[in-house]
Amino acid sequence: MIIPEPPYYAVIFSNQLADGGEGYSETADRMVELAETMPGFLGFETARGDDGFGISVSYWESEASIANWKRQAEHQEAQRRGRAEWYESFTLRVAKVERAYEMKR
Amino acid sequence: MIIPEPPYYAVIFSNQLADGGEGYSETADRMVELAETMPGFLGFETARGDDGFGISVSYWESEASIANWKRQAEHQEAQRRGRAEWYESFTLRVAKVERAYEMKR
């Protein structure tokens, strides 16, 4: 993931999956594919443990690009299903990344 | 995790564990325990998949509280071991949370 120097924005999405969740992983993959086509998209990372708790972070150039992605029609339908079917709970935070430090072996 | 209304700060730590990693999980648990005693600490969440990629996010009242935690002696030793032994790579980002939205069933 190549991300420019700060400042840019992060959407931190912490979530607990509910039991069941038919169609969740296909939709999650599709949303990443779709987000990558959106203006201002910079990158995405995600991790989920066996307990069903996950954290996904997407990175964006501006608040406007986040608002635009939030309104995207297919994404809106995925948000609706997420609230109704897939998530037991979630917290979504919008944050301005002020500095970043990277370490690679 | 009870967190006040924004603004507050998030430290987003995305990391890939290296193979081996003796002492990692004990130290990781100890660092959470220690962070909870630090002034300005608000909360912590973490997720890691079977591929060893993890995202941990800690929440803080201010940049000063993050700087103070970074300098804590036992944490400094953990940071040193992390770079030398435990992580294949990581990115650490400091971000100001501007808004948050929560959903619970």
Side-chain angles (χ1 to χ4, degrees), chain A residues 36-104:
Chain A
E36 286 170 350
T37 70
M38 298 295 290
F41 175 85
L42 297 176
F44 175 79
E45 50 196 8
T46 188
R48 186 178 308 281
D50 295 332
D51 57 356
F53 183 74
I55 302 176
S56 298
V57 190
S58 59
Y59 299 99
W60 301 86
E61 270 176 22
S62 63
E63 293 210 79
S65 60
I66 295 169
N68 186 50
W69 167 235
K70 186 183 174 187
R71 285 191 305 264
Q72 200 278 346
E74 198 177 336
H75 184 211
Q76 287 238 317
E77 171 60 11
Q79 291 171 60
R80 191 196 62 72
R81 290 195 67 189
R83 284 188 299 265
E85 299 173 44
W86 295 322
Y87 298 115
E88 182 64 34
S89 60
F90 66 76
T91 304
L92 186 148
R93 295 180 173 93
V94 177
K96 185 178 187 177
V97 178
E98 299 184 342
R99 48 205 169 84
Y101 169 74
E102 200 167 354
M103 189 284 285
K104 269 204 170 78

Side-chain angles (χ1 to χ4, degrees), chain B residues 6-20:
Chain B
Y8 51 85
Y9 283 81
V11 177
I12 308 167
F13 185 65
S14 313
N15 59 84
Q16 180 66 51
L17 285 183
D19 291 337

Side-chain angles (χ1 to χ4, degrees), chain B residues 47-73:
Chain B
R48 186 178 307 281
D50 295 331
D51 57 357
F53 182 75
I55 302 176
S56 298
V57 190
S58 58
Y59 299 99
W60 300 87
E61 269 176 23
S62 63
E63 294 210 79
S65 60
I66 295 170
N68 185 50
W69 166 234
K70 186 183 175 189
R71 284 191 304 264
Q72 200 278 346

